[in-house]
Amino acid sequence: MVITHDPDVRRAHSRDASGLELVPEAVARAMTTSDVIEVVQLASGNGLTVTPAGSQTSMTGASITDSGILLSFSGMNRLIDVDATNAIARVEPGITIGQLNRDLAETGLMFAPDPTSEQDATIGGAIACNASGARSLYYGATRRHVNGVRVVHSDATTADYRRFHGEKNTVGYAAAQDPVDWFVGSEGTTGIVVEAQLRLVRAPLNIIGLAIPFLDEASALDFVVAAREGRSSRLARCLEFFDASAMQIAAGYIGAPWANLAGSLIYLEDDAGSSPVERILSGWLELAEDFGALSDDIRVFEGAQSLREARAMRHSVPATMNERGSARMKNGGRKVSTDWAVPYNRLREALAASKEAIERHGAPAPVTYGHAGNGHPHQNFIAENPADLRIINAAIEDTLAHVIKMGGTVSAEHGLGKLKRPWLDLQLSQRQIAVMRAIKNTLDPSGMFAPGNVL
Ligand SMILES: Cc1cc2nc3c(=O)[nH]c(=O)nc-3n(C[C@H](O)[C@H](O)[C@H](O)COP(=O)(O)OP(=O)(O)OC[C@H]3O[C@@H](n4cnc5c(N)ncnc54)[C@H](O)[C@@H]3O)c2cc1C
């Protein structure tokens, strides 16, 4: 184990994707569980805090800190073993989702959650944020794919937790029945995951991607609702939305003129399995045409290389927006990304309410894209300076009030971290927050882990 106070190493760990900068007092790099135990003992003996970090792609400042030790898992990145019969993998927390799936390729199995950052994001980070992505429409978020965890607690003891597998259970409160959930989505605040047992799924046989341009946003969003409700008699694996500005970025990535009349785009994937591809395509085309899709401009992606291109096109939107945000940081600006979600059939209404709030506050128009099938868009605003940041945040808070009224959430995949923590009580009652505090105090009574995240 290496622990250092070197200013360069500390600065190298002071930024994630939130635009915040927090320099830790020390950085430790764990290679084994014993190293983690040693760090926790050291912290406990000296009254220090410990913030675990994977690849530091957090959008909310969750994996940076200006207090205590930043504990990096980049050195604990092994796939330990695979039980192909039961579709279970045991991994160290620092392995990235991308690497895990490359290691699993020969088994025909995969880890399903696919945050856009999957090539960088670690399993530890995905568990701690309950990460999800485009395919989560079909497979669900990370929580469902975690069968067990080994955790180092704040008293430096280690414990293994496994899901309850029975079908019926009336013993105790839900919060205690499945202790794995104490850690999934906890953003590093309840314990340190040093090993995970993951549920794998069979990799699909024959994925087809379809990029369908529509004249306007309303038609595209109505198509999504129809697709979710099974009107094409197929289950899409993802239903991703691009507004006109996001589509412009995607078309720029493709590098050729495309669908100049379009006001929005839906990208969907479907697994044809052994069914004839033509039949599946014509089902989707028929439904898309019902909503006025620009049929001549539809693009079909088939085969591994082509699908990688489609994904890269989708990923080019957040990547471009991150670059635009970073360029504003010298003037105190940055990218501001929303992560709210509503029930999928209320997305059109929620975006309209948000547009009104943006105009009322005079905030700059965002680039909007993302997981429409889950009612979960990302609005990326570019703040030029601190004054812009205030205006944008005010517009977002107004939007969130509508989102909550519609039965939605302030954060569907990035977590609260430090940036979105003030919004916790927009969504949860004081009683719910008190239950969370009770869990935190039981698992981490001295407040050692990831201070400033969530609570
Ligand atoms: C371009 C871009 C696109 C993104 N797209 C998505 C997306 O589609 N979906 C999505 O869900 N997220 C997305 N994210 C956010 C982020 O990538 C995910 O939350 C990811 O899971 C974080 O993984 P990480 O390894 O970088 O974790 P980090 O950022 O290092 O840490 C995240 C949290 O996990 C905790 N943590 C890390 N390791 C451990 C451990 N071993 N034990 C306990 N706690 C731990 C940290 O303390 C922190 O609270 C995106 C980010 C970027 C930059």
Side-chain angles (χ1 to χ4, degrees), residues 52 54-58 62-63 115-117 122 125-126 128 131-132 187 193 413 453:
S55 294
Q56 295 192 296
T57 64
S58 166
S63 51
T116 308
S117 51
T122 63
S132 57
E187 301 186 42
V193 175
E413 66 182 17
N453 286 357

Side-chain angles (χ1 to χ4, degrees), residues 101 108-114 130-146 199-207 228 235-239 269-271 311 374:
N101 278 333
L109 299 166
M110 68 174 195
F111 179 67
D114 61 337
N130 189 24
S132 57
R135 288 200 292 251
S136 301
L137 176 65
Y138 188 82
Y139 293 108
T142 295
R143 186 183 304 281
R144 197 193 280 183
H145 304 273
V146 184
R199 287 182 182 148
L200 307 175
V201 299
R202 295 252 150 248
L205 289 177
N206 190 12
I207 291 282
R228 270 292 316 252
L235 268 183
R237 302 219 153 207
C238 70
L239 280 164
E269 288 181 357
D270 190 352
D271 180 16
R311 286 266 161 158
N374 289 121

Side-chain angles (χ1 to χ4, degrees), residues 166-335:
E167 290 181 354
K168 299 176 86 176
N169 182 10
T170 57
V171 176
Y173 301 159
Q177 283 177 343
D178 229 329
V180 172
D181 287 332
W182 296 340
F183 307 99
V184 180
S186 70
E187 301 186 42
T189 58
T190 51
I192 299 181
V193 175
V194 288
E195 191 180 302
Q197 202 191 62
L198 305 174
R199 287 182 182 148
L200 307 175
V201 299
R202 295 252 150 248
L205 289 177
N206 190 12
I207 291 282
I208 310 162
L210 271 174
I212 312 176
F214 290 85
L215 268 181
D216 52 41
E217 290 182 12
S219 315
L221 294 170
D222 288 347
F223 166 80
V224 168
V225 174
R228 270 292 316 252
E229 290 174 354
R231 276 192 43 197
S232 77
S233 72
R234 300 284 308 169
L235 268 183
R237 302 219 153 207
C238 70
L239 280 164
E240 296 283 299
F241 169 75
F242 298 61
D243 75 356
S245 350
M247 197 187 161
Q248 231 172 29
I249 297 173
Y253 176 83
I254 284 181
W258 179 32
N260 290 330
L261 292 178
S264 69
L265 175 80
I266 297 295
Y267 175 72
L268 70 82
E269 288 181 357
D270 190 352
D271 180 16
S274 51
S275 310
V277 170
E278 292 69 31
R279 176 140 49 87
I280 284 154
L281 283 180
S282 68
W284 283 116
L285 295 188
E286 212 173 288
L287 184 63
E289 279 170 357
D290 285 352
F291 292 90
L294 302 171
S295 316
D296 292 344
D297 291 316
I298 291 176
R299 283 178 176 240
V300 179
F301 300 86
E302 260 188 286
Q305 178 55 28
S306 171
L307 285 162
R308 264 196 298 277
E309 278 297 302
R311 286 266 161 158
M313 173 188 82
R314 159 69 176 81
H315 294 3
S316 70
V317 181
T320 304
M321 296 310 291
N322 283 347
E323 277 166 28
R324 290 181 188 170
S326 301
R328 271 46 175 212
M329 280 161 94
K330 57 180 184 303
N331 298 327
R334 60 178 169 84
K335 173 181 123 171

Side-chain angles (χ1 to χ4, degrees), residues 369-452:
Y369 61 94
H371 319 302
N374 289 121
H376 178 206
H378 294 298
Q379 295 170 299
N380 285 184
F381 297 84
I382 299 297
E384 299 290 340
N385 49 47
D388 264 10
L389 269 178
R390 280 190 293 277
I391 294 169
I392 290 168
N393 277 326
I396 293 175
E397 285 191 17
D398 270 12
T399 302
L400 294 180
H402 287 283
V403 162
I404 296 299
K405 276 193 208 132
M406 288 178 203
T409 172
V410 300
S411 174
E413 66 182 17
H414 296 160
L416 298 174
K418 298 176 179 70
L419 265 187
K420 297 184 180 175
R421 189 186 56 190
W423 295 338
L424 177 66
D425 58 9
L426 293 183
Q427 187 170 332
L428 300 190
S429 68
Q430 288 309 307
R431 199 165 268 143
Q432 284 173 295
I433 295 171
V435 171
M436 282 174 51
R437 277 195 198 288
I439 293 173
K440 166 76 176 170
N441 290 339
T442 305
L443 293 172
D444 180 22
S446 67
M448 177 191 291
F449 293 140

